[in-house]
Each structure stands twice: as C-alpha cells, then as structure tokens.
Amino acid sequence: MSRLRSACATVAATVAITALTVVPTSAATPPAARAKPAAPEPGGVAALLTQLKSLYQQAEAADEAYNATAQALTKQRAVADKAGSGLDRARAALDHSRSAAGALARAQYRGTPELSGYLQMLLGDDPERAVEQQHMLARAARGNVATRARLVASMRHADTAVVATRTALAKQQQLAARKKQQRDTAEAKLRQVEALLAGLSPDVLGRLAALDRSGTDKAQQDLVNSGALGPQGEAAKTATPTAAGAAALRYAVAQIGKPYEWGATGPAAFDCSGLTSQAWAHAGVHVPRTSQQQWHDLPRVPLDRLRPGDLVVYFPKATHVAVYLGDGKVVQAPRPGGRVKVSPIAANPLLGAVRPDASGTVLSPAAYRPPRLPAVAGTGARTGSGTGTGPDAGL
C-alpha cells in the first residue's frame, strides 16, 4: 500500500492535470527528456488523453474490485473463526464422549456389571429387589447405548467441523490472493500513467488539460440539451433532498480538497465509493461499500428526478460514483492523484443514479439550504451552459 501511495503522490506532483492546474515537470524529468520533450500533434494529444483516462479508469476499477474483495475477506475471516470455534467445541465433545466410552469399556472388562447384576437378580430371594435391579439394569443398558451413540455423533460432528474449517480457510486464502492481485493490477496501471506523464512538457500538459475541459463542457452541454436532466435542466436545479440526503451532501462537501487514496474511507482521504458510503453513513443510512454494490443494491432513480444527495454512477461496469450536489454538478473523489472536488455531472460517462433514502420525505424549498462550497471546490461557473471558465474537468 505504501508503494501505491507513493505512486499517487508522484502522479500528483508530476502533473497537476488531476487538479487541473498545469505544473512544470522538468524537476522530475531526466535531462535528456527535458532537452527533447514530447510534442505530439493535436490528434496525438487527443489519443494520449484517451489513453490516460482509460488507465485511470482501469486503476479505479481495480480499486473497487479490491474493496469488494476486502469486504468479502472480512466476512470470510468471520466464517473461518466461527468454523474454528465449532471445531474446538466438536473436539471437546469428542474427547468427552471418548472418555465416557473408555470408562464404559473398562467397567465391562473388569466385571461386566450388567451380567453380574442379572445373575444376582435371578438367584435372589427378594422379588421386589429383583424388579428394582431389573429397572436399574435396563437404565444402565440404555445409558451404554447412549454413550456409544454420543461417541459416534461426536466423531461425525468433528469430521464435519474439520471439513468446514478447512473450506473456510481455503476460501480465505483465495480471497487474500485475489486482493493482492487486484492491488498489484492497480499499481501497474498507475505506473503506466507515471510513464506516460514523466516526459511530457508543460505545453503538452496544458493542451491535455484544455482538451479535457473542452470535452467535459461539450458532454455537459449535450446532456442538458438532451433533456435527460429535465427541460433545460430545471428538475435538476430545483429539487430538494430529504433531511438524510442533506446531511450526506454536507458531509461530502466538507471533504472537498482531501486527497483521493486507493481504498480509503476517510477521514483524511477517500476513494470514490469511500466518500459516498461514508457520506450516507454520516447521515445515518447504511449503503454498500463499493460503487458496483451501490448500483446493484440501491433503488434506481431517473436523472430528471435527481435530488441532492443521490448517488450518480459512472462507466458501464459501475466503477465510479459521486454525490449529486444539484444544478447539474456532483461532489466526487475523482481518481488517484486527485482531490475531492465539485465537477459537472457529465465529467465521466454516465451509467445512472441511485437513491439511498427512496422512502424519505423531501424538505420544502424554504427548509433546505444548500451547503456553502469552499473556494477550492472547483465549480467555476459550469452548470451545463458551456460558458464556465472554472478549473474543474473530468481528468
């Protein structure tokens, strides 16, 4: 994990494209590379931007897969612990049954008390005592059968517990190996990003950022023009949240400026679903940990009915998620090397939206006061009009 944090820090220091402010990279670039900086043609810059976005998206997909596996591993460890406890109990019961069976065997070997008692009963002169002894012998015989039955049952239960424990431990080991593989995959993608960025000149970085802003503006304008957010985006501008949605949104806004960190759930850093799950947890509503689980488990909501606090999900496999702010914007932890910020809702390819509090009662417009955004929110003036000049963009 320390290598991953180092990679993220290197990306952030190498190019402020993730914060959308161009920073010269000559200090981190070898002299030979600085002497001949990469200068792709405009079409080459577009291809490079596409490649960078793809690598970031793949790294984040690996992050979400890692989060899901980490959750599964936590649950599987509990299963393994429970199986281990069951095995301990089964072994204790087996030891007790074996002791009882051993005592029975020794008693029978020493004098076969049941047979001796039976002979005494036949030879005795007291009929009442004979009947009493008969009952005692029958009870002892039943006890012997029960002792043997408990031994057999204990042996079977111990065998079952051994199998359950071994299965649980094997599953735990498989999940741990998968978790490591997913971590390694994300690190490899980030190293690819570093390699792409390391030799780029400030000019190329600026062109990348400008191209990305232009693409985001166009995507936002197209979304508004399509009517997906309601006529002229009015529904997305005027909707109010529930009390829980307002609380979740306030929490998300309060995290603006904090760094993205792979697998983080706060309070110092977040990944995308770490931010959304913690925002709603702060509002007293449990939502699943990963973006895929949030998309799969929570009620869907059309984009033209979005209200603040809803979760907006991105990419075909639901590998990114953000909190809807209102007026066509979201609060998101964008990607490794970036910081929590406000972006246009169309900053990434939209999949849909979900609502953690579908049965909640919305606040009246008079009762809802949108959270105050900090200066570093990165909202600019972008509301889908295409006229914004603020610093936020999708990259």
Side-chain angles (χ1 to χ4, degrees), residues 92-347:
L94 179 57
D95 289 343
H96 179 75
S97 297
R98 281 174 172 166
S99 297
L104 174 61
R106 288 192 297 274
Q108 291 176 336
Y109 176 78
R110 284 196 300 267
T112 57
E114 294 89 345
L115 181 59
S116 299
Y118 184 64
L119 290 174
Q120 291 173 11
M121 180 186 69
L122 292 176
L123 298 175
D125 296 330
D126 187 346
E128 291 184 1
R129 179 155 180 82
V131 172
E132 181 181 347
Q133 287 180 334
Q134 185 179 14
H135 286 306
M136 293 175 63
L137 289 173
R139 196 161 50 243
R142 289 194 299 270
N144 293 344
V145 171
T147 297
R148 295 188 181 96
R150 281 194 299 270
L151 176 60
V152 173
S154 295
M155 293 175 67
R156 289 176 178 171
H157 184 61
D159 289 342
T160 301
V162 167
V163 172
T165 301
R166 288 176 177 171
T167 301
L169 290 174
K171 180 66 174 178
Q172 181 176 330
Q173 291 171 349
Q174 292 173 359
L175 288 171
R178 186 189 304 170
K179 184 178 174 183
K180 180 180 182 303
Q181 182 182 27
Q182 290 160 344
R183 180 198 66 195
D184 292 345
T185 298
E187 288 183 339
K189 295 301 180 184
L190 290 175
R191 284 195 294 270
Q192 286 182 264
V193 173
E194 287 185 274
L196 281 172
L197 296 175
L200 298 180
S201 68
D203 175 66
V204 172
L205 296 178
R207 289 158 63 188
L208 280 170
L211 182 61
D212 184 60
R213 285 194 296 269
S214 174
T216 299
D217 280 342
K218 184 179 186 305
Q220 185 77 357
Q221 185 66 65
D222 290 345
L223 181 66
V224 171
N225 292 342
S226 73
L229 298 179
Q232 300 300 315
E234 289 302 318
K237 292 180 181 179
T238 59
T240 57
T242 62
L249 180 58
R250 284 196 301 271
Y251 180 90
V253 168
Q255 313 314 311
I256 289 175
K258 292 184 178 180
Y260 181 108
E261 184 178 303
W262 205 72
T265 58
F270 298 87
D271 64 12
C272 69
S273 59
L275 176 66
T276 56
S277 61
Q278 287 302 305
W280 275 96
H282 182 78
V285 179
H286 170 75
V287 301
R289 168 65 178 90
T290 70
S291 56
Q292 293 97 330
Q293 291 172 313
Q294 291 169 10
W295 173 248
H296 181 269
D297 294 353
L298 299 176
R300 308 281 172 86
V301 56
L303 294 179
D304 62 356
R305 297 183 184 177
L306 276 172
R307 65 192 188 202
D310 287 343
L311 303 183
V312 181
V313 185
Y314 296 92
F315 298 106
K317 294 184 178 180
T319 52
H320 186 69
V321 64
V323 181
Y324 187 62
L325 175 65
D327 198 16
K329 306 184 192 75
V330 295
V331 182
Q332 64 165 339
R335 62 182 44 80
R339 292 181 178 273
V340 177
K341 65 175 184 176
V342 173
S343 299
I345 191 174

Side-chain angles (χ1 to χ4, degrees), residues 39-56:
E41 294 300 317
V45 171
L48 180 58
L49 178 61
T50 299
Q51 187 176 4
L52 284 169
K53 283 191 171 186
S54 175
L55 289 173
Y56 274 128

